[in-house]
């Protein structure tokens, strides 16, 4: 009976050690915002500027992406079911710098709205933000 008890204790301790190794602080501080085109912009010319700042996250040993999904059924907001092809902005310090922006035009996206989120992966964790929603038409 003592051998079984000892084995159970060892298994419990071992499994706790594994859990302690796999959990880590997966909270990253960054800024991601949308800036709408001026109100007087015609519907055909509407655009949004997506600004980001990942300087506090840093890019060393991290994979940072912004996932953007154009939505076809905008009346459901971020709960929509009909999408166009997903776009990814990889923040790699080359094409998209750690602090930067990109303009998305309504007519080029061929969508009246989209949802977006950040995906950050490091050696110790993966973190995806909640979905945000943006509509070109108010």
């Amino acid at each position: 009976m003592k051998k079984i008890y000892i084995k159970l204790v060892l298994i419990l301790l071992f499994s706790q050690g594994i859990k302690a190794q796999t959990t880590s602080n997966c909270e990253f501080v960054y800024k991601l915002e949308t800036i709408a085109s001026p109100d007087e912009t015609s519907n055909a010319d509407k655009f949004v500027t997506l600004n980001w700042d990942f300087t506090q996250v840093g890019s060393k040993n991290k994979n940072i992406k912004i996932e953007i999904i154009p939505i076809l059924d905008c009346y459901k907001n971020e709960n929509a079911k009909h999408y166009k092809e997903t776009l990814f902005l990889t923040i790699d310090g080359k094409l998209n710098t750690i602090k930067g922006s990109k303009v998305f035009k309504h007519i080029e996206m061929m969508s009246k709205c989209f949802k977006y989120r950040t995906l950050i992966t490091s050696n110790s964790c993966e973190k995806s933000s909640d979905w945000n929603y943006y509509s070109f038409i108010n």
Side-chain angles (χ1 to χ4, degrees), residues 1-134:
M1 186 68 160
K2 284 186 177 182
K3 287 183 181 181
I4 294 173
Y5 178 73
I6 291 172
K7 286 181 182 179
L8 288 173
V9 169
L10 288 174
I11 290 171
L12 181 64
L13 289 173
F14 182 70
S15 65
Q16 290 298 320
I18 291 173
K19 183 178 180 186
Q21 290 173 357
T22 58
T23 55
S24 65
N25 183 7
C26 219
E27 296 301 316
F28 299 105
V29 177
Y30 60 88
K31 180 180 169 187
L32 180 63
E33 67 179 350
T34 55
I35 300 174
S37 55
D39 290 338
E40 59 273 2
T41 307
S42 70
N43 283 343
D45 295 328
K46 293 270 185 182
F47 64 91
V48 63
T49 304
L50 188 64
N51 286 337
W52 62 83
D53 184 351
F54 292 100
T55 53
Q56 291 186 31
V57 174
S59 61
K60 188 174 183 179
N61 299 322
K62 293 182 187 71
N63 183 359
I64 305 169
K65 292 182 180 180
I66 302 171
E67 181 180 13
I68 302 162
I69 302 178
I71 301 173
L72 297 174
D73 52 340
C74 293
Y75 63 92
K76 294 181 182 178
N77 297 339
E78 65 271 4
N79 297 319
K81 302 279 187 231
H82 303 292
Y83 308 118
K84 295 184 67 128
E85 186 175 333
T86 301
L87 309 169
F88 288 99
L89 294 178
T90 301
I91 310 302
D92 56 5
K94 298 171 188 163
L95 184 58
N96 294 303
T97 58
I98 205 86
K99 183 176 182 179
S101 64
K102 183 162 178 72
V103 173
F104 292 93
K105 296 180 180 180
H106 158 63
I107 201 78
E108 290 174 358
M109 289 185 80
M110 296 185 65
S111 177
K112 294 179 183 176
C113 62
F114 61 91
K115 65 181 185 177
Y116 63 99
R117 67 179 178 174
T118 57
L119 306 168
I120 302 174
T121 306
S122 70
N123 294 338
S124 59
C125 68
E126 285 185 33
K127 177 73 173 179
S128 61
S129 69
D130 292 335
W131 286 107
N132 294 290
Y133 176 80
Y134 183 82

